[in-house]
Amino acid sequence: MDDIYKFDVDADKRINREQPWTKDPHYFKTCKISATALIKMVIHARSGVPYEIMGLMQGKVMGTSLVIIDSFALPVQGTETRVNAANEAYEYMVQYIEGSKLVNRLENAVGWYHSHPGYGCWLSGIDVTTQFTNQKFQDPFVAVVIDPNRTISAGKVDIGAFRTYPENYTPPDAAASEYQSIPLSKIEDFGVHANQYYPLEVQIFKSSLDNELLGLLWNKYWINTLSQSALISNRAYAVSQLNDLQQKLAKAQSSVSSTRAPIPLPKDDIKSKMLAKEEKKKEEANQLAKSVKDGAKIATEAQHGLIAQVLKDILFSSRPGAPTSSSVSVEEVVDTAMSIG
Amino acid sequence: MTSMDTDELPVVLPSTTTTSGLTIALHPLPILNISEHFTRLKLQKRQSLPFVLGALLGTQTGREVEIVNTFELAVQDDQVTVDQEFFDARRDQYKQVFPSLEFIGWYTVAAYPTAKHIAFHEQFATLIPTPLLLLLKPSSSFAASADLVVQTLPFKAYEPTIEIRDRKARSVFIEAGYTVETGEAERIAVDWTARGGSGGTSLESHLSSQRAAVKMLHDRILLLVKYVTEILAGEAKKDHATLRSLSALIASLPASEHKGFREEFEKSTNILNDLVDKHIVFTAQREERGPGAGRRRGPRGMMDFH
């Protein structure tokens, strides 16, 4: 189980000579990330909110997997100048990686990560350009994106790993990826570039010692699980989500009002008209259905926060024998949550 | 160097005579970092107990210390002198990305501190007055136990101090207790990786972590109840400190009978329920014609929610 942590210099040299990824744009299928690398990236991303932060990842190639053993932060805050940020941090990067060799961190840089606080894991136009360049000159290289806000509101890490296709390559019909809610302000950027890259499956690995320690750690921090309140820590983000949903609904509503009731038609015309109506319906359904999904997600996350609060209330505030009619029972709350999600 | 390992005097003061006054909070990240460092060196050097050395980063205000992050350290060829150049470079780099963190101590892997560690301590003491020592005890020296009370993390923290004995001063260590603290993002990430990073609906994962936490609470409460029952039956010895804390705890429950608090709590509960109800109605109605117009009022109305 721990072998993945061993760095085999010869195997690494060999695969870097053969470069099987240059022959197949879809070569890499999975991105395996170590527990420590992941936790460091999430903490870094959260510490930077509301700014985007970035860093590098060290690791190696194993089969069709890009394995990330470690990560480190870079002293740049990105907004629109991501392509240049790498230049500013160049000296830092070189020094850090050189230094790593002195402490037995032998792995090379195999990727970069950055955060999208509150707007999901995908590659923006600038990200795609940056990654094109990376894959041209630094391959093998992977792009990882983390959303620290969603991580907190969903209670699980929101992360994605991506590889860009070479320019002028048209991918075969992309498989439908899992839907994620993108804020209106970013949706165009998302849509335009969505076909220029593909996601890798993210898997987490840990050592046997990590496993032991995590089990023991749980003995200590279960208290935080009960005492922290996602509702409070993520307030601003929750409100901005609602704002965004409202705008999307306004958009959907305006398109709905432009449809008209079908006019009775002579038989031979029915078929073509039906098709046109079908198309329109699909369009509306899409916009509306998406807004519905977004709304459901917001509600679910609010429910999570609520469930936690209610649990605490029941645990710590009920008197034995007293009727709990004044507080909502956990069952009801959970039932409603399940009917949404 | 001379072998000063055959000290008759132990370098750790017995905890019956002196206790550390520090309040130490240890985060999960340093724990996992040190674990990774140790695993990596074991594999690369093919030794079961390689020499591991690293720096602790965190914050210290007065007697409260928080250990937040770590980085590895290198030693020079003599194996006992810290590579100062590397230390300075790495410390500066971490300062650039995490300006609020300071160098507060160092870590290594050993069963207990020895004179060798004092030698390292003196090097670090030139940089900060009281560098903490965090030891990871290698697995052969901690016994895994099924009893949840006995299971503890194989880490021990030590505070350095000076002992004056026979008119001679020497550096010694005092063991210090610590608690585990986490930030929220850190907790979620740690939880997620502990569970293998799999998906499942967010409701499932949320509920299961809540459930696990409540179960722990339940187990601990059962343990306390068992203890009190045994005291009543005359089987166990009364520990007054424990009993006092227990009664203080019970007296403070229910946590929120105060009227003002309950009103606020119910208000926020109701607002959230409202939000959720509106979304349910919205979701349920989406099949019908013209749902957009009717529901538009819903989300706008919720802008007052805060």
Side-chain angles (χ1 to χ4, degrees):
Chain A
M1 173 193 215
D2 292 348
D3 277 351
I4 197 170
Y5 288 92
K6 214 191 299 183
F7 185 65
D8 184 340
V9 180
D10 292 325
D12 196 58
K13 281 198 185 135
R14 204 182 321 130
I15 204 159
N16 275 306
R17 238 187 355 246
E18 292 166 8
Q19 302 187 335
W21 49 85
T22 46
K23 304 173 190 103
D24 177 5
H26 219 285
Y27 177 77
F28 289 111
K29 307 275 187 293
T30 51
C31 183
K32 297 192 186 170
I33 308 183
S34 78
T36 34
L38 179 88
I39 294 171
K40 281 198 233 190
M41 294 194 279
V42 171
I43 293 180
H44 184 206
R46 176 66 174 172
S47 73
V49 169
Y51 301 109
E52 296 178 357
I53 48 83
M54 69 183 273
L56 280 188
M57 307 183 293
Q58 293 161 297
K60 56 193 177 178
V61 173
M62 285 176 82
T64 55
S65 197
L66 268 158
V67 178
I68 311 287
I69 307 270
D70 201 4
S71 65
F72 62 92
L74 286 176
V76 280
Q77 258 169 18
T79 38
E80 294 309 309
T81 54
R82 187 76 38 60
V83 187
N84 296 323
N87 292 333
E88 289 164 45
Y90 190 69
E91 200 183 309
Y92 185 102
M93 256 191 277
V94 169
Q95 263 194 345
Y96 194 97
I97 295 180
E98 277 312 298
S100 296
K101 306 236 153 74
L102 285 178
V103 288
N104 301 91
R105 165 66 67 217
L106 307 171
E107 290 82 3
N108 299 313
V110 294
W112 65 297
Y113 69 91
H114 69 284
S115 62
H116 277 183
Y119 50 99
C121 299
W122 45 281
L123 293 183
S124 71
I126 298 182
D127 295 340
V128 169
T129 312
T130 308
Q131 183 61 10
F132 268 156
T133 319
N134 287 335
Q135 290 186 206
K136 236 190 201 161
F137 300 112
Q138 299 193 65
D139 237 5
F141 222 71
V142 66
V144 162
V145 185
I146 294 183
D147 185 341
N149 294 22
R150 288 199 189 185
T151 294
I152 300 228
S153 65
K156 61 179 197 167
V157 179
D158 194 33
I159 185 171
F162 308 101
R163 290 271 301 167
T164 45
Y165 292 121
E167 277 164 290
N168 307 322
Y169 172 82
T170 340
D173 261 330
S177 53
E178 202 185 305
Y179 173 78
Q180 56 172 328
S181 167
I182 314 274
L184 214 50
S185 56
K186 303 269 180 186
I187 230 170
E188 205 179 309
D189 196 5
F190 168 76
V192 167
H193 301 280
N195 278 333
Q196 298 176 301
Y197 59 93
Y198 72 94
L200 302 172
E201 185 196 335
V202 172
Q203 295 171 358
I204 309 296
F205 64 90
K206 33 197 191 303
S207 69
S208 40
L209 182 55
D210 284 347
N211 254 333
E212 254 178 71
L213 292 173
L214 284 169
L216 295 171
L217 263 177
W218 172 246
N219 281 351
K220 303 269 180 174
Y221 76 83
W222 61 273
I223 299 172
N224 295 60
T225 312
L226 280 178
S227 59
Q228 277 167 349
S229 168
L231 289 176
I232 296 177
S233 11
N234 236 24
R235 236 167 171 180
Y237 170 65
V239 172
S240 74
Q241 287 286 82
L242 279 171
N243 261 323
D244 188 64
L245 177 64
Q246 183 258 332
Q247 285 169 26
K248 285 182 176 163
L249 281 170
K251 245 186 136 196
Q253 185 255 348
S254 61
S255 65
V256 165
S257 58
S258 61
T259 50
R260 282 134 114 238
I263 310 165
L265 296 161
K267 267 210 181 121
D268 41 54
D269 255 335
I270 282 186
K271 223 181 181 179
S272 51
K273 290 281 186 176
M274 284 265 289
L275 277 170
K277 193 169 76 156
E278 213 69 280
E279 293 286 30
K280 244 213 164 148
K281 216 178 182 176
K282 241 195 260 171
E283 239 184 81
E284 289 158 28
N286 266 337
Q287 180 64 295
L288 210 46
K290 280 189 198 160
S291 304
V292 164
K293 279 198 194 140
D294 292 349
K297 181 177 90 63
I298 295 178
T300 316
E301 287 169 5
Q303 277 287 26
H304 289 343
L306 197 53
I307 289 175
Q309 294 295 85
V310 169
L311 259 177
K312 282 187 276 197
D313 187 38
I314 292 183
L315 281 172
F316 301 113
S317 304
S318 39
R319 275 208 173 281
T324 47
S325 52
S326 49
S327 63
V328 182
S329 83
V330 182
E331 280 165 26
E332 288 167 19
V333 175
V334 173
D335 280 345
T336 33
M338 281 168 63
S339 66
I340 304 174
Chain B
M1 289 289 315
T2 58
S3 76
M4 23 180 196
D5 298 332
T6 50
D7 249 6
E8 303 87 12
L9 293 173
V11 302
V12 183
L13 291 183
S15 42
T16 44
T17 51
T18 24
T19 38
S20 164
L22 288 180
T23 321
I24 302 181
L26 179 60
H27 280 241
L29 179 60
I31 293 175
L32 292 170
N33 275 348
I34 298 173
S35 154
E36 197 268 333
H37 191 187
F38 184 42
T39 305
R40 178 190 350 145
L41 288 182
K42 269 199 288 187
L43 286 170
Q44 283 176 12
K45 307 212 163 149
R46 290 177 230 247
Q47 296 167 4
S48 58
L49 190 51
F51 176 62
V52 176
L53 186 71
L56 297 174
L57 290 173
T59 56
Q60 176 156 12
T61 36
R63 304 302 281 165
E64 298 194 2
V65 184
E66 210 172 330
I67 308 176
V68 178
N69 203 350
T70 65
F71 61 82
E72 310 96 322
L73 286 177
V75 287
Q76 290 174 12
D77 295 326
D78 61 1
Q79 300 298 311
V80 291
T81 321
V82 176
D83 184 337
Q84 194 62 41
E85 208 185 306
F86 177 83
F87 172 83
D88 288 336
R90 259 304 135 99
R91 180 166 141 177
D92 288 340
Q93 286 173 328
Y94 273 83
K95 249 307 172 167
Q96 283 183 56
V97 285
F98 299 114
S100 60
L101 300 184
E102 301 284 334
F103 168 66
I104 54 169
W106 56 293
Y107 68 83
T108 186
V109 179
Y112 50 82
T114 64
K116 182 172 158 200
H117 301 112
I118 295 285
F120 276 109
H121 160 71
E122 318 236 284
Q123 296 179 60
F124 292 117
T126 58
L127 303 165
I128 56 169
T130 44
L132 276 182
L133 167 59
L134 186 64
L135 273 192
L136 165 61
K137 295 156 87 75
S139 54
S140 50
S141 59
F142 81 94
S145 166
D147 185 352
L148 63 80
V149 178
V150 178
Q151 266 176 347
T152 44
L153 287 166
F155 281 90
K156 279 208 185 285
Y158 297 92
E159 183 190 359
T161 187
I162 311 280
E163 187 205 32
I164 312 229
R165 183 202 275 260
D166 303 332
R167 274 191 263 139
K168 273 196 294 204
R170 63 179 193 121
S171 298
V172 287
F173 291 111
I174 316 176
E175 194 181 328
Y178 61 86
T179 53
V180 171
E181 295 292 328
T182 89
E184 195 158 355
E186 189 180 10
R187 174 184 71 77
I188 293 176
V190 170
D191 229 9
W192 196 66
T193 54
R195 229 166 307 163
S198 56
T201 66
S202 63
L203 180 63
E204 273 170 25
S205 36
H206 186 257
L207 281 180
S208 74
S209 55
Q210 293 290 319
R211 182 183 175 280
V214 172
K215 178 167 189 305
M216 279 303 272
L217 182 62
H218 178 74
D219 287 345
R220 297 294 163 103
I221 292 178
L222 282 182
L223 204 63
L224 287 172
V225 168
K226 180 160 167 267
Y227 174 63
V228 173
T229 327
E230 282 174 4
I231 292 185
L232 290 176
E235 287 165 21
K237 199 163 148 251
K238 267 194 215 181
D239 176 41
H240 290 281
T242 320
L243 289 174
R244 245 174 306 173
S245 340
L246 254 182
S247 86
L249 180 65
I250 297 176
S252 70
L253 294 174
S256 54
E257 257 193 349
H258 189 259
K259 194 152 168 273
F261 176 88
R262 284 227 71 84
E263 278 171 14
E264 269 306 311
F265 183 77
E266 267 154 48
K267 189 160 74 144
S268 59
T269 316
N270 288 332
I271 291 177
L272 277 169
N273 273 335
D274 234 13
L275 169 66
V276 170
D277 288 343
K278 284 177 179 152
H279 278 101
I280 293 178
V281 174
F282 179 61
T283 326
Q285 298 254 357
R286 76 177 182 275
E287 306 285 283
E288 297 180 30
R289 278 198 131 275
R295 294 298 140 243
R296 180 163 59 113
R297 250 173 283 125
R300 289 251 184 87
M302 286 182 277
M303 283 306 110
D304 326 326
F305 144 80
H306 64 270

